[in-house]
Amino acid sequence: MEIWINPGCSKCRAALSVLDAEAADYTVRRYLDDPPSADEIRDVLGRLGLEPWDIARTGEPVAVELGMGAWPRDAGERERWIGALAAHPILVQRPIITADDGTAVVGRSEEAVRSVLPPSPSGE
């Protein structure tokens, strides 16, 4: 699995702690240093079952500057949102974990992080 993180984010650090405690096999992607492309964002959105506005951090200064809070949240504007997320990765909600089974979660809670972990061998 892969986890998109911002090392300065407490939710990201908490998610990493859960993964480490469970000895999960994962790769870290510092998405501000290695931004996802528009295609990668589309793929993650499909895996999450969400729309781009669902993972946008509209309170960030760049979002306010772009006026994203007023952007329509509909199919006609979907690519505009994706383009903004790709151009300004700070706008992407974090952490996002993509699991090997094709699922993904926004891991802002311990429960969400645990939901993508494979079952333990003992079935617990």
Side-chain angles (χ1 to χ4, degrees):
M1 74 179 66
E2 181 176 78
I3 180 169
W4 294 3
I5 69 157
N6 172 349
C9 168
S10 63
K11 298 287 187 185
C12 294
R13 291 190 304 272
L16 290 172
S17 292
V18 172
L19 295 176
D20 289 342
E22 296 297 325
D25 183 21
Y26 65 92
T27 303
V28 170
R29 179 171 184 176
R30 293 178 179 223
Y31 74 99
L32 297 178
D33 299 329
D34 180 15
S37 68
D39 284 341
E40 287 175 305
I41 292 170
R42 283 185 206 93
D43 176 65
V44 163
L45 288 168
R47 293 170 79 169
L48 288 167
L50 297 174
E51 292 297 336
W53 43 85
D54 296 325
I55 66 163
R57 297 172 57 87
T58 56
E60 289 288 334
V62 69
V64 173
E65 191 176 302
L66 293 170
M68 289 177 78
W71 291 5
R73 297 174 180 217
D74 59 36
E77 293 293 313
R78 188 172 197 269
E79 288 304 311
R80 181 182 184 190
W81 282 85
I82 290 170
L85 295 174
H88 307 283
I90 191 71
L91 297 176
V92 176
Q93 190 60 262
R94 59 191 181 249
I96 292 178
I97 304 169
T98 55
D100 295 336
D101 67 2
T103 61
V105 296
V106 178
R108 295 190 62 75
S109 70
E110 182 175 338
E111 295 77 26
V113 174
R114 291 187 181 284
S115 75
V116 295
L117 292 172
S120 66
S122 63
E124 295 176 18

